Amino acid sequence: MMGCCEFAGQLGEILQHVTVQHIQHPEITVYKFSTTLRFNKTYDSEIYNQMAFRILGDIFFLRWNTQNEFLYLTLLFVGEKEVASEFVYEASLHSLDGVGRMSARQQCRSYLELIDDQVLIKKRELCMAFPLSFVEQCVKESQVRFIIELFNDST
């Protein structure tokens, strides 16, 4: 899915909308999984990309865009800020030659914080930044594979 969904409502309505309209993958039943992202070689994309996932009963949006020679990536919890702060995620990618590996770890934010926020992922947003020079070494057929691991501090 690309761009911004303009649906608005209470948290319960948002969760129902995301579940029905945006989740395109089966529920993920482990905290460590891989996903493939469409990689746009445009270096200053004005549109971000996002995918919705249900992970062990919770809903998350994975957002990414390219800007200023970086691929910015963020995992957002669809729910209250307090619950979002209990999650930390790590994303890794590997070069196609098997030699290079890059990973980053970040605390989740609530998707609700971004409803009236900017369209592009900015440096002030809690996100990961991967240099495009490395990301391009990981691209196969316009796709890049990330391994994502989610940690829940409340357990």
Side-chain angles (χ1 to χ4, degrees):
M1 172 171 105
M2 295 181 70
C4 183
C5 174
E6 296 183 16
F7 182 85
Q10 298 297 317
L11 178 56
E13 297 168 323
I14 292 171
L15 288 168
Q16 178 65 24
H17 171 78
V18 171
T19 298
V20 172
Q21 298 295 320
H22 299 288
I23 295 178
Q24 300 174 2
H25 307 280
E27 181 167 358
I28 297 169
T29 58
V30 293
Y31 279 129
K32 186 174 184 176
F33 61 97
S34 68
T35 189
T36 304
L37 311 180
R38 185 172 57 271
F39 178 70
N40 181 355
K41 287 195 176 190
T42 304
Y43 290 103
D44 286 310
S45 175
E46 294 194 6
I47 297 178
Y48 66 85
N49 300 278
Q50 65 182 18
M51 280 192 287
F53 296 98
R54 182 179 293 278
I55 305 170
L56 292 166
D58 292 309
I59 297 175
F60 295 85
F61 266 110
L62 183 66
R63 289 184 359 149
W64 70 97
N65 75 300
T66 55
Q67 187 177 23
N68 302 324
E69 303 290 321
F70 286 91
L71 182 144
Y72 293 97
L73 182 84
T74 188
L75 186 67
L76 301 163
F77 175 76
V78 181
E80 298 297 337
K81 180 180 179 179
E82 295 77 23
V83 179
S85 68
E86 296 174 0
F87 291 99
V88 173
Y89 62 100
E90 182 175 290
S92 304
L93 68 162
H94 301 264
S95 61
L96 296 178
D97 63 11
V99 175
R101 177 183 182 271
M102 188 173 284
S103 64
R105 187 179 280 220
Q106 186 62 265
Q107 184 174 15
C108 279
R109 262 180 92 186
S110 171
Y111 191 81
L112 301 177
E113 295 178 72
L114 302 180
I115 288 175
D116 294 320
D117 206 347
Q118 70 280 346
V119 173
L120 290 175
I121 299 172
K122 306 281 188 184
K123 287 183 179 179
R124 64 187 169 95
E125 196 173 309
L126 290 176
C127 65
M128 301 172 170
F130 295 95
L132 287 178
S133 58
F134 180 74
V135 173
E136 288 174 344
Q137 297 173 39
C138 307
V139 174
K140 182 177 182 181
E141 298 174 4
S142 299
Q143 306 224 335
V144 61
R145 181 175 167 262
F146 277 88
I147 297 170
I148 298 174
E149 188 165 6
L150 190 61
F151 304 91
N152 185 334
D153 288 344
S154 70
T155 56

